[in-house]
Amino acid sequence: MKLFHFTDLEKKAESILGSHPFTYIKSGSGDEETLGDNIADLRKWKIRPKFLQDVSKRDLSISLFGKNYKTPYLLAPVGNLGIVHPEAELAVSRAAKQVGVPIIASTVTSVSMEEIAAEAGDRWFQLYCSSDMDITLSFIRRAEQAGYGAIVITVDMPALGFRASDLTNQYAPFKLGAASGNYFSDPVFQKKLACSPSKDFQRAVDEQLKHLFAPGFSWEDVAALRMATDLPILLKGILHPSDAKKAMEFELDGIIVSNHGGRQLDGCISSIAALPAIVDEVGGRIPVLFDSGIRKGADVVKALALGADAVLLGRPYVYGLAINGEEGVKEVLDNFIYDLDATMATAGVNAVSALDRDLLVRT
Ligand code: FNR
């Protein structure tokens, strides 16, 4: 593969995936104001290096919920990977395990969470709460049994954003069944379904789509889920400090500052612009993770220096998967680790734990 620039990864993935699947991954909602701001606002922060520090040894490690990880990376939940590569989430899981990076498996994967667990190392489960609470609880039970270490509830998708590019292309991977791995294998969903997915595939997909989003999901439901599991629970998609405060009041264990890679609310604040106020509100009481716009090591350094405890990679690893399956994902991860290490050394920082706001200026 030997692709080191994000733009080169993107170009190569486009040539392999073809126009509609590629656009589904690349694009944001609306006219992509927020998608663009995620990148542009990261670039407004500049690193102000201090030299003559001893950077002969660099420590990239972090710890989350009592567990140590070699690097501050996790793989963001990305659904529908069946449209990207035949080995989809299984290839991603194997690559991440080789490198020692935890994955966050999406609710809407092309294979089941149990099949993913059989290939994966450290894993968390991302939950799109179903409009049917029995299905939601079944997913949580299954995740517990399959050895997932945390539940990540994505809160920024009460409905699908206005995905103008996919609407133009009339492309809807959810309708192709690329996101049915967990639903079709779920005993509660199967019971409610009056048909078998293998016999009446389209009807089963349509039934899944009815349950997929939960626009009525509210803080009371979060409280019920808090009671339902002892696993750490994180909320993904937090942009407002008052939601971060509420997450702590509801005894949740972490939050992920994210705007879903600019795919949901177009015109909303960039993820990096939201981060500092949330970090200040949380005051170190629970971990704050970050995604949306990470394209290179310097972006990671900026997010961590602004107070994030770890970052999630999204589109870059999906492009690696498209280009070369498991090896492609591994190469992307290896390059991100190399880049972070080099960026820290050249910025005069020898440990992730030593990154702080003094390293940055906003231009
Ligand atoms: C996503 N994202 C996402 N998030 C989530 O909680 N569950 C999901 O199933 C998906 N699916 C998904 C599909 C695709 C194609 C993309 C690009 C993204 C959002 C993802 O977890 C993460 O927040 C963003 O990808 C971060 O933005 P960047 O870094 O990719 O720009």
Side-chain angles (χ1 to χ4, degrees):
M1 204 165 73
K2 301 264 181 287
L3 298 170
F4 303 98
H5 289 295
F6 176 77
T7 45
D8 292 340
L9 275 175
E10 194 167 63
K11 249 187 257 160
K12 184 76 182 169
E14 180 172 19
S15 70
I16 289 170
L17 287 172
S19 158
H20 292 186
F22 171 72
T23 302
Y24 170 74
I25 292 155
K26 180 198 177 189
S27 61
S29 53
D31 69 1
E32 306 189 334
E33 177 185 341
T34 297
L35 179 67
D37 284 350
N38 281 341
I39 312 285
D41 287 356
L42 265 162
R43 282 165 193 239
K44 286 180 188 155
W45 290 99
K46 301 291 173 193
I47 299 168
R48 186 171 54 170
K50 282 195 219 159
F51 294 115
L52 304 174
Q53 311 294 320
D54 179 359
V55 291
S56 49
K57 286 201 190 93
R58 273 99 61 187
D59 178 8
L60 305 192
S61 71
I62 58 157
S63 110
L64 289 171
F65 309 123
K67 232 181 147 166
N68 294 325
Y69 299 97
K70 282 192 289 188
T71 76
Y73 291 115
L74 292 92
L75 295 192
V78 171
N80 284 302
L81 288 181
I83 65 169
V84 174
H85 191 274
E87 289 174 45
E89 297 85 9
L90 301 179
V92 173
S93 303
R94 289 183 205 122
K97 185 178 183 183
Q98 279 191 62
V99 184
V101 165
I103 59 159
I104 307 178
S106 167
T107 294
V108 285
T109 42
S110 56
V111 296
S112 71
M113 64 176 103
E114 289 80 7
E115 290 168 288
I116 291 171
E119 302 288 344
D122 284 307
R123 51 196 177 273
W124 297 357
F125 181 69
Q126 177 266 322
L127 183 65
Y128 280 135
C129 290
S130 171
S131 57
D132 184 323
M133 196 57 154
D134 293 342
I135 295 176
T136 299
L137 291 172
S138 176
F139 284 168
I140 292 178
R141 281 296 90 75
R142 289 172 60 192
E144 287 171 345
Q145 277 160 17
Y148 286 79
I151 302 288
V152 173
I153 303 176
T154 296
V155 295
D156 57 16
M157 180 102 75
L160 196 65
F162 181 69
R163 308 262 175 99
S165 305
D166 297 331
L167 291 168
T168 306
N169 291 339
Q170 300 192 335
Y171 186 70
F174 285 101
K175 291 193 184 154
L176 302 173
S180 299
N182 285 321
Y183 269 84
F184 286 6
S185 59
D186 191 74
V188 176
F189 180 68
Q190 283 168 357
K191 241 188 224 164
K192 291 175 192 257
L193 197 66
C195 63
S196 139
S198 57
K199 288 204 185 104
D200 199 346
F201 185 76
Q202 204 52 53
R203 209 172 123 204
V205 168
D206 292 344
E207 197 57 35
Q208 177 196 344
L209 293 182
K210 278 192 218 156
H211 293 296
L212 191 57
F213 301 118
F217 188 78
S218 69
W219 285 102
E220 283 96 80
D221 300 305
V222 169
L225 297 186
R226 173 69 293 172
M227 303 289 286
T229 183
D230 290 332
L231 286 177
I233 298 180
L234 299 90
L235 295 187
K236 174 172 181 279
I238 298 296
L239 295 171
H240 201 296
S242 72
D243 276 350
K245 189 169 174 220
K246 236 169 161 178
M248 292 187 288
E249 285 164 10
F250 279 74
E251 296 180 16
L252 303 185
D253 303 280
I255 56 177
I256 304 178
V257 176
S258 167
N259 58 27
H260 216 109
R263 298 166 71 79
Q264 281 297 99
L265 174 62
D266 193 35
C268 81
I269 186 170
S270 70
S271 204
I272 201 71
L275 181 64
I278 291 177
V279 166
D280 292 344
E281 178 67 52
V282 168
R285 279 166 284 178
I286 55 173
V288 176
L289 281 60
F290 174 87
D291 79 22
S292 298
I294 299 286
R295 300 290 178 262
K296 56 180 182 174
D299 298 333
V300 182
V301 161
K302 291 173 189 178
L304 298 176
L306 288 173
D309 294 287
V311 299
L312 279 52
L313 297 176
R315 291 178 178 90
Y317 86 80
V318 180
Y319 293 145
L321 176 68
I323 297 163
N324 198 19
E326 176 182 342
E327 278 310 303
V329 176
K330 183 172 179 300
E331 194 173 318
V332 168
L333 284 175
D334 285 341
N335 287 339
F336 262 96
I337 293 168
Y338 179 3
D339 187 359
L340 174 60
D341 182 61
T343 304
M344 282 181 29
T346 50
V349 182
N350 58 22
V352 158
S353 57
L355 288 164
D356 64 25
R357 286 184 196 174
D358 183 53
L359 190 68
L360 303 183
V361 282
R362 197 160 185 284
T363 54

